[in-house]
Amino acid sequence: MLLKKVGEFGLIELLARQTSRAHPDVIKGIGDDAAVIRPDAQKHLLVTTDTLQEDVHFRMSFCTPFQLGKKSMSVNLSDIAAMGGAPLYYFVSLGVPSKITVDVIKKIYRGMDSRAKRFGAVLLGGDTVASPGGLVITVTLIGSASAKEVVFRCGARPGDRLYVTGYPGESALGLRLLQQGGKLSGRNRLAAKHLDPLPRIDEARAIAARRLASSMIDVSDGLAADLRHILQESRVGARLYLDRLPLSRAYRKNSAAFSSDLYLAALCGGEDYELLLTVPPRKLKAFEKLVQMFSVPCTRIGEITAEADDLEIID
Ligand code: ADP
Ligand code: MG
């Protein structure tokens, strides 16, 4: 059977089933933003890995090596954030084309490590191989959280409210503008969202430490697609109100570059690396108070319903 017939998620499910084996230390293997391992009763380790491949996930002509390094770290930090964890250690595997210079690689690592340092992670190793195609960067990031803090995708319950941080869709618009070329002045905010997303580690840690979220995921595939992951894992449905979606001025001004449908980029554009989370009714007051301290907006966009896997988008 051809891979394209089952798709990425079909493949992951198939491989997970084929290799599934219980292990006493493992709380969660495949199927969330990071694996969760319990080395002792109080502390959980969170492990995630993500790959950026040249001309699939990035173009050297769109970004500087420093930005590329930062982004390859940020996408992993975002997965640790989504579990409510704090980053600790990272490993990097590089597939390098023969024509690359040492200077470029040094700049990538400078970017990667500046982002890692900001959130407290240190490089512990990796691997280097030749790549016949383009540059491939795989970062594996290990974080931790106390047992009580970890937030899974599977905890959403009917009645919980649905929140998203930031302005989903801006990254997709930024990519579209980069692809269209031309002058980006004044539109830099969108391009910057695509090239240099800031993982919501601080916000997620604050939420997780107070145990305010019943489920959480980072928005990497697109708001609707990632909401579906929460719905599937939690066996619930959701109502999402289009008019509540946080659309920035820059978004409204440029949304036509993505689609004539104003909401499409926000719903289906990927790579926002924002947090999508659910909050139980009894914790709403504390949550609303906490998010006022955030430097990024956190917007209520819907609620969880009882019918499994039923996503109702309300215009
Ligand atoms: P994210 O977008 O949050 O990084 P992914 O969709 O890449 O999540 O992965 C979802 C889950 O599937 C994770 O638990 C991840 O570790 C696992 N996974 C992804 N690709 C593979 C693979 N090739 N083999 C085994 N597990 C995988
Ligand atoms: Mg994720």
Side-chain angles (χ1 to χ4, degrees), residues 42-46 83-86 143-150 205 208:
Q42 280 81 45
K43 199 168 206 172
H44 287 188
L45 283 183
L46 314 169
M83 305 301 295
S144 77
S146 78
K148 287 179 295 190
E149 291 169 353
V150 180
R205 288 290 296 152

Side-chain angles (χ1 to χ4, degrees), residues 33 79 82 153 217-218 220:
D33 292 295
D79 277 325
R153 294 177 178 179
I217 190 170
D218 67 320
S220 53

Side-chain angles (χ1 to χ4, degrees), residues 157-292:
R157 296 292 171 262
D160 290 358
R161 309 300 202 270
L162 184 66
Y163 286 84
V164 70
T165 60
Y167 300 99
E170 286 196 331
S171 171
L173 291 184
L175 173 60
R176 192 54 61 90
L177 297 178
L178 286 163
Q179 286 166 337
Q180 288 176 350
K183 263 189 29 201
L184 275 179
S185 56
R187 292 165 160 180
N188 278 342
R189 175 197 163 90
L190 300 175
K193 274 314 244 311
H194 180 74
L195 296 173
D196 185 17
L198 189 65
R200 304 301 181 196
I201 290 275
D202 297 336
E203 293 78 10
R205 288 290 296 152
I207 292 165
R210 293 163 183 78
R211 305 175 67 187
L212 295 172
S214 51
S215 72
M216 189 151 66
I217 190 170
D218 67 320
V219 181
S220 53
D221 296 328
L223 182 58
D226 287 310
L227 175 55
R228 283 225 174 264
H229 289 313
I230 287 188
L231 302 188
Q232 275 160 8
E233 293 295 319
S234 302
R235 302 203 169 96
V236 292
R239 222 172 280 128
L240 192 156
Y241 301 97
L242 285 183
D243 63 357
R244 297 234 186 115
L245 286 176
L247 306 182
S248 65
R249 254 213 345 243
Y251 179 104
R252 288 176 186 276
K253 238 174 92 186
N254 293 282
S255 75
F258 192 88
S259 161
S260 57
D261 180 341
L262 173 66
Y263 299 106
L264 197 69
L267 281 178
C268 300
E271 296 198 77
D272 295 302
Y273 301 106
E274 295 294 348
L275 298 170
L276 178 66
L277 65 147
T278 56
V279 181
R282 71 196 152 86
K283 296 188 173 174
L284 283 174
K285 232 172 119 183
F287 182 78
E288 291 280 0
K289 197 170 158 205
L290 174 70
V291 300
Q292 278 171 18

Side-chain angles (χ1 to χ4, degrees), residues 4-311:
K4 66 178 181 196
K5 204 162 161 223
V6 293
E8 183 191 343
F9 295 125
L11 175 72
I12 295 171
E13 229 181 281
L14 188 150
L15 296 175
R17 242 182 290 124
Q18 179 183 315
T19 55
S20 119
R21 194 154 57 232
H23 187 289
D25 293 355
V26 177
I27 310 274
K28 181 89 203 180
I30 292 174
D32 213 303
D33 292 295
V36 182
I37 306 164
R38 174 182 46 195
D40 65 64
Q42 280 81 45
K43 199 168 206 172
H44 287 188
L45 283 183
L46 314 169
V47 188
T48 185
T49 188
D50 265 292
T51 296
L52 298 188
Q53 186 172 1
E54 187 172 357
D55 295 332
V56 177
H57 301 103
F58 65 90
R59 273 179 209 288
M60 285 306 226
S61 55
F62 289 171
C63 62
T64 65
F66 186 79
Q67 280 175 326
L68 175 59
K70 274 198 290 184
K71 183 157 178 180
S72 50
M73 179 53 58
S74 292
V75 301
N76 282 277
L77 287 165
S78 182
D79 277 325
I80 295 296
M83 305 301 295
L88 293 172
Y89 323 110
Y90 70 99
F91 298 80
V92 182
S93 287
L94 280 187
V96 285
S98 56
K99 56 175 202 290
I100 201 166
T101 64
V102 174
D103 185 54
V104 164
I105 298 177
K106 278 170 71 178
K107 283 175 176 152
I108 291 171
Y109 270 69
R110 235 173 257 142
M112 206 150 50
D113 204 49
S114 74
R115 191 49 48 97
K117 189 174 169 196
R118 171 166 179 170
F119 294 107
V122 291
L123 177 64
L124 292 190
D127 194 20
T128 313
V129 296
S131 164
L135 176 64
V136 184
I137 307 171
T138 301
V139 175
T140 300
L141 179 63
I142 299 173
S144 77
S146 78
K148 287 179 295 190
E149 291 169 353
V150 180
V151 190
F152 297 92
R153 294 177 178 179
C154 61
R157 296 292 171 262
D160 290 358
R161 309 300 202 270
L162 184 66
Y163 286 84
V164 70
T165 60
Y167 300 99
E170 286 196 331
S171 171
L173 291 184
L175 173 60
R176 192 54 61 90
L177 297 178
L178 286 163
Q179 286 166 337
Q180 288 176 350
K183 263 189 29 201
L184 275 179
S185 56
R187 292 165 160 180
N188 278 342
R189 175 197 163 90
L190 300 175
K193 274 314 244 311
H194 180 74
L195 296 173
D196 185 17
L198 189 65
R200 304 301 181 196
I201 290 275
D202 297 336
E203 293 78 10
R205 288 290 296 152
I207 292 165
R210 293 163 183 78
R211 305 175 67 187
L212 295 172
S214 51
S215 72
M216 189 151 66
I217 190 170
D218 67 320
V219 181
S220 53
D221 296 328
L223 182 58
D226 287 310
L227 175 55
R228 283 225 174 264
H229 289 313
I230 287 188
L231 302 188
Q232 275 160 8
E233 293 295 319
S234 302
R235 302 203 169 96
V236 292
R239 222 172 280 128
L240 192 156
Y241 301 97
L242 285 183
D243 63 357
R244 297 234 186 115
L245 286 176
L247 306 182
S248 65
R249 254 213 345 243
Y251 179 104
R252 288 176 186 276
K253 238 174 92 186
N254 293 282
S255 75
F258 192 88
S259 161
S260 57
D261 180 341
L262 173 66
Y263 299 106
L264 197 69
L267 281 178
C268 300
E271 296 198 77
D272 295 302
Y273 301 106
E274 295 294 348
L275 298 170
L276 178 66
L277 65 147
T278 56
V279 181
R282 71 196 152 86
K283 296 188 173 174
L284 283 174
K285 232 172 119 183
F287 182 78
E288 291 280 0
K289 197 170 158 205
L290 174 70
V291 300
Q292 278 171 18
M293 324 276 271
F294 290 177
S295 54
V296 62
C298 191
T299 312
R300 186 156 133 189
I301 57 170
E303 61 251 347
I304 297 299
T305 59
E307 194 168 341
D309 212 14
D310 177 50
L311 174 55

